[in-house]
Amino acid sequence: MEDLIPISNLNDFIFCPISIYFHNLYEDIDKIIFQTTVQIDGTNAHESIDSGRYSSKKDILQGLSVYSDRYKIYGKIDILDTREHLLTERKKKIITIYDGYIFQLYAQYFALKEMGY
């Protein structure tokens, strides 16, 4: 079976390639032990999306799992407004738009297109 790339790894790789190694190394350990306050805040910012409580509107998809066979990527989108055709990658606070954010959105977009959205 071919290896699949988590979409979140695109952002991690651009930010710091070694962080992917540490995420895999510590994946079974309680994150409170090694995450910084900023990382914990980011996780908390996703809580309403991950639990499906961000919006009750039927045209707002949240936390939808996506997959692309063509690019061998998988992950979850944060928010897709199907009425406005707007894909949003939710972050706690954006001061700078990093390349990794853009790569994540493109990966999510191509997976959604392949899935028929």
Side-chain angles (χ1 to χ4, degrees), residues 1-16:
M1 181 174 174
E2 294 184 54
D3 289 331
L4 299 175
I5 299 170
I7 291 173
S8 61
N9 278 9
L10 300 174
N11 186 34
D12 293 342
F13 183 80
I14 297 301
F15 173 71
C16 175

Side-chain angles (χ1 to χ4, degrees), residues 97-115:
I97 298 175
Y98 294 102
D99 289 344
Y101 299 169
I102 296 167
F103 295 157
Q104 277 185 283
L105 283 168
Y106 271 113
Q108 293 167 1
Y109 167 79
F110 286 120
L112 283 165
K113 290 288 282 183
E114 188 173 320
M115 293 171 61

Side-chain angles (χ1 to χ4, degrees), residues 59-111:
D59 53 349
I60 301 292
L61 302 179
Q62 51 198 331
L64 177 71
S65 293
V66 295
Y67 167 76
S68 170
D69 188 49
R70 179 178 181 183
Y71 296 108
K72 306 299 181 205
I73 55 175
Y74 72 96
K76 287 189 174 189
I77 64 161
D78 286 347
I79 303 163
L80 175 62
D81 184 330
T82 58
R83 191 188 67 184
E84 298 291 327
H85 306 286
L86 181 64
L87 181 61
T88 303
E89 176 64 24
R90 184 132 155 90
K91 301 293 183 195
K92 174 81 174 174
K93 181 178 181 181
I94 296 177
I95 296 171
T96 304
I97 298 175
Y98 294 102
D99 289 344
Y101 299 169
I102 296 167
F103 295 157
Q104 277 185 283
L105 283 168
Y106 271 113
Q108 293 167 1
Y109 167 79
F110 286 120

